[in-house]
Amino acid sequence: MALPLNQIPSEIIREVRSRKWLAFFLFTIVSFAVLGAGFVWPYKYESQVVIFVDDQNIIRPLMEGSAVTTKISERSSVAREMLWSRDVMSKVAKDKDIFGQDADQLTDEELERRIGMLRTNMNVRPRGDRYFSIGYTSESPMQAFRIAQRLGQLFISENSESKRKESRNAYNFIDKQVKNYESILAGVEQKLKKFLSENVDGTESEANARMANLRRELELAELERSELMARAESLESQLGDVQPMLSQARTADSYTRRIREKETQLDELRLQYHDTYPDIVVLKEQIAELKKQRDRAALSGELGLAASEGDQLVNPLYQDISAEVAKTRASIRTQESRINSLENLIAEQEERMARIQENKTQYSELTRDMEVNEQIYNDLLRRREKARVSMYLDIEGQGLNFRINETAQFPLDPVGPQFQLFASAGLILGALAPFGLAAGALQIDPRVRARKQLEDGIGLPVLAEMPHVRTPYEKRRDRFLTVSVAVCAVLVVAAYGGVAGAALMGVI
């Protein structure tokens, strides 16, 4: 049956008063035990290196878009993972400046123990947005100082090397992809070149443009042929209305007039050409022939008869129209020949377009591969140049950098609980120990200590409660016991204070 909560304090005090010597011994044992723990508690010294994350330097805005600076998120976690790596821990564990000249002669088991010790005592803590600290805790202040200093140096060097390695690997990967796509693009270009050399029909757009031009020329030729045929019919109708021959009297004046006309033509030609020009030579012969005919006619006396009978001459208009008809007919035949040629070219062009349609799928596939690979190749070229600049930035130590803001300091005071805390806590814990023990005993004690326990346990009311009555002897004995315990407690406290004071002053 549980004791009511409102009666627990009074019962605890009653139990402590009834067992004064037990409470005294418990107080003494706990107080001096805590004080002794203060003597044997190992002091820890901690040294820290504060790292500054420099991600706002002038290089970043200047190189925006031209290079990619290495980014690091969760900087403290990244630093912890990097420092916890076996390579870094092994370098620290084998450092002769920290662990002596035989540090590099450890067995595998000893090395594992030392690495475990380093990982246990190392800590990485964030200190704001752009700072974090790398600390190490050790019982030796010199060891804590040297290990913290070495951890900071290793973190800076390993991070710089990691950045350079990352950017170099990125550049090498992109450069390898660029060369790969160069070979792919060269192969596609060779296939396209071979296809175009084997299929000289051209593209569909060129064939369509050529077909349109041929059809336009065919339409113009047919239109010109129609016009020429209409012109030929009109000239033939005009030719039927014109007399082919004209009657002209043969007189001396007629010969003289014709000679003068020829001489006039001869003079006009001499203004432009030499006498050896063919037309000039012909006119001279014609003029000479006309003079001979005139002289013969005058000697034979035919001029008078010719004047009465007349001479039949070819009508010049009839000659001109006939010549124009012949010229028009020749033009018609020329246009018909041209139309036939255009029709043949159109037929050939249709066959060419059919071949182009057959090769269109293959040509489209080749050109698509060409465009896609060229686009990827150009993009990789730009990325390679950015990777090159980024690699140089990391090599030169630009971009995102870690810099030691505060170097490790030699620890002068230990961290964690010190002897003063143990000395102060000893008396307090010793005084609270009897009451705590009594409270625990009351929770497991099966005896009935209150009327409420009976009422709740058996469900019947308690009619009366008999108080505890002490005799005068018992009162005197209890008073003497209390005084004795108090005196002993004062002596114990005095001894406790003496021991603690001597330890604080360095006497013991």
Side-chain angles (χ1 to χ4, degrees):
M1 291 178 289
L3 187 67
L5 294 177
N6 58 351
Q7 292 186 1
I8 290 179
S10 60
E11 290 296 326
I12 290 175
I13 294 174
R14 191 171 68 84
E15 287 292 330
V16 172
R17 292 180 61 184
S18 64
R19 295 175 175 80
K20 294 182 179 64
W21 284 111
L22 178 61
F24 167 73
F25 286 120
L26 185 62
F27 163 75
T28 304
I29 292 172
V30 171
S31 298
F32 278 94
V34 174
L35 184 63
F39 279 104
V40 299
W41 185 265
Y43 289 165
K44 298 287 186 179
Y45 295 87
E46 183 178 11
S47 182
Q48 292 182 346
V49 176
V50 179
I51 304 297
F52 171 66
V53 183
D54 185 10
D55 58 352
Q56 300 293 330
N57 54 16
I58 193 173
I59 294 296
R60 186 171 183 177
L62 291 176
M63 301 305 295
E64 190 74 26
S66 298
V68 179
T69 56
T70 308
K71 296 181 180 180
I72 298 179
S73 58
E74 298 294 335
R75 301 180 178 96
S76 58
S77 300
V78 172
R80 185 181 297 107
E81 293 298 328
M82 180 181 293
L83 293 174
W84 270 52
S85 64
R86 185 172 182 82
D87 293 338
V88 176
M89 289 289 101
S90 298
K91 291 179 182 179
V92 178
K94 296 179 180 180
D95 195 326
K96 296 180 180 180
D97 295 335
I98 300 175
F99 297 103
Q101 296 297 324
D102 58 346
D104 57 349
Q105 299 177 359
L106 298 174
T107 63
D108 294 340
E109 185 178 355
E110 292 174 343
L111 181 62
E112 290 297 330
R113 284 200 300 268
R114 183 169 293 179
I115 290 176
M117 178 194 68
L118 292 173
R119 288 175 175 173
T120 302
N121 296 325
M122 184 191 71
N123 60 81
V124 180
R125 302 186 183 96
R127 299 180 62 176
D129 294 336
R130 301 173 64 185
Y131 294 87
F132 64 91
S133 62
I134 301 173
Y136 187 80
T137 304
S138 175
E139 297 180 6
S140 170
M142 179 59 69
Q143 189 178 77
F145 165 71
R146 288 179 175 176
I147 292 178
Q149 186 180 41
R150 182 60 174 158
L151 287 174
Q153 295 172 353
L154 284 175
F155 173 75
I156 296 297
S157 61
E158 290 291 329
N159 177 73
S160 300
E161 181 62 26
S162 175
K163 286 173 57 182
R164 287 192 291 267
K165 183 178 180 181
E166 179 183 355
S167 59
R168 189 182 302 109
N169 290 338
Y171 173 79
N172 292 334
F173 173 77
I174 296 177
D175 183 63
K176 182 179 179 182
Q177 295 300 315
V178 167
K179 294 178 180 178
N180 185 25
Y181 270 91
E182 281 181 354
S183 61
I184 293 175
L185 194 60
V188 175
E189 289 177 350
Q190 188 65 27
K191 289 181 181 179
L192 185 59
K193 182 179 179 181
K194 182 179 179 181
F195 175 81
L196 293 177
S197 63
E198 294 176 353
N199 301 273
V200 294
D201 296 323
T203 61
E204 185 179 7
S205 59
E206 295 175 352
N208 290 331
R210 177 61 176 166
M211 178 63 77
N213 291 332
L214 290 175
R215 287 176 177 173
R216 185 167 55 252
E217 291 180 3
L218 179 60
E219 291 176 356
L220 292 176
E222 290 178 347
L223 181 61
E224 290 181 3
R225 184 183 64 176
S226 299
E227 292 177 353
L228 290 172
M229 292 178 67
R231 179 178 174 81
E233 291 177 358
S234 175
L235 291 173
E236 287 177 352
S237 63
Q238 292 178 9
L239 187 62
D241 297 335
V242 177
Q243 294 294 327
M245 302 298 292
L246 294 176
S247 297
Q248 183 177 3
R250 291 186 179 180
T251 61
D253 293 335
S254 64
Y255 282 109
T256 302
R257 185 175 62 254
R258 291 176 64 186
I259 291 172
R260 287 178 179 176
E261 290 176 359
K262 298 295 183 181
E263 289 177 349
T264 301
Q265 294 178 6
L266 180 61
D267 293 336
E268 291 177 356
L269 290 173
R270 281 178 173 175
L271 293 175
Q272 298 179 0
Y273 305 101
H274 296 288
D275 290 343
T276 57
Y277 189 70
D279 290 346
I280 295 176
V281 175
V282 172
L283 284 174
K284 286 181 178 180
E285 293 177 354
Q286 291 177 356
I287 292 172
E289 183 64 27
L290 288 174
K291 288 180 179 181
K292 290 179 180 179
Q293 291 179 3
R294 184 186 61 181
D295 294 339
R296 285 196 302 266
L299 292 176
S300 61
E302 294 178 353
L303 290 177
L305 181 60
S308 61
E309 294 180 357
D311 191 7
Q312 295 292 326
L313 299 176
V314 178
N315 190 349
L317 179 59
Y318 184 85
Q319 288 181 342
D320 293 338
I321 293 175
S322 298
E324 191 67 27
V325 169
K327 183 178 179 181
T328 303
R329 290 295 179 185
S331 299
I332 290 173
R333 289 192 296 271
T334 302
Q335 290 299 325
E336 289 178 348
S337 177
R338 181 185 177 190
I339 289 171
N340 292 332
S341 299
L342 289 173
E343 289 176 348
N344 293 331
L345 290 175
I346 290 174
E348 293 176 359
Q349 190 66 22
E350 289 176 350
E351 295 177 357
R352 174 191 176 191
M353 293 182 68
R355 292 194 302 270
I356 290 175
Q357 290 297 328
E358 293 177 358
N359 298 327
K360 182 178 178 181
T361 303
Q362 185 177 358
Y363 180 76
S364 300
E365 183 178 354
L366 289 174
T367 53
R368 182 173 59 252
D369 291 344
M370 181 76 177
E371 292 174 358
V372 171
N373 287 291
E374 187 174 4
Q375 183 179 1
I376 296 175
Y377 176 72
N378 292 332
D379 183 64
L380 286 174
L381 283 179
R382 291 191 294 269
R383 291 178 183 272
R384 184 177 67 176
E385 293 308 313
K386 287 186 178 182
R388 189 198 305 274
V389 178
S390 301
M391 181 176 63
Y392 289 151
L393 284 177
D394 289 334
I395 291 175
E396 296 296 332
Q398 302 298 330
L400 177 61
N401 288 323
F402 291 100
R403 180 162 49 84
I404 296 179
N405 188 63
E406 293 182 9
T407 59
Q409 302 296 323
F410 185 84
L412 300 177
D413 298 321
V415 295
Q418 302 181 22
F419 182 78
Q420 295 89 333
L421 180 62
F422 285 96
S424 302
L427 290 176
I428 298 175
L429 293 177
L432 294 177
F435 297 96
L437 180 61
L442 289 176
Q443 296 299 321
I444 61 175
D445 190 4
R447 292 179 297 176
V448 177
R449 296 176 178 272
R451 61 185 294 177
K452 188 172 179 59
Q453 287 180 284
L454 289 175
E455 292 176 349
D456 295 339
I458 63 177
L460 295 176
V462 178
L463 299 179
E465 183 179 357
M466 299 296 292
H468 179 71
V469 178
R470 295 186 299 173
T471 62
Y473 172 74
E474 290 176 342
K475 291 181 179 179
R476 288 194 302 272
R477 189 181 65 179
D478 183 68
R479 189 180 301 111
F480 176 77
L481 183 60
T482 301
V483 172
S484 300
V485 170
V487 171
C488 292
V490 171
L491 293 176
V492 168
V493 171
Y496 184 93
V499 173
L504 291 174
M505 290 184 295
V507 178
I508 57 175

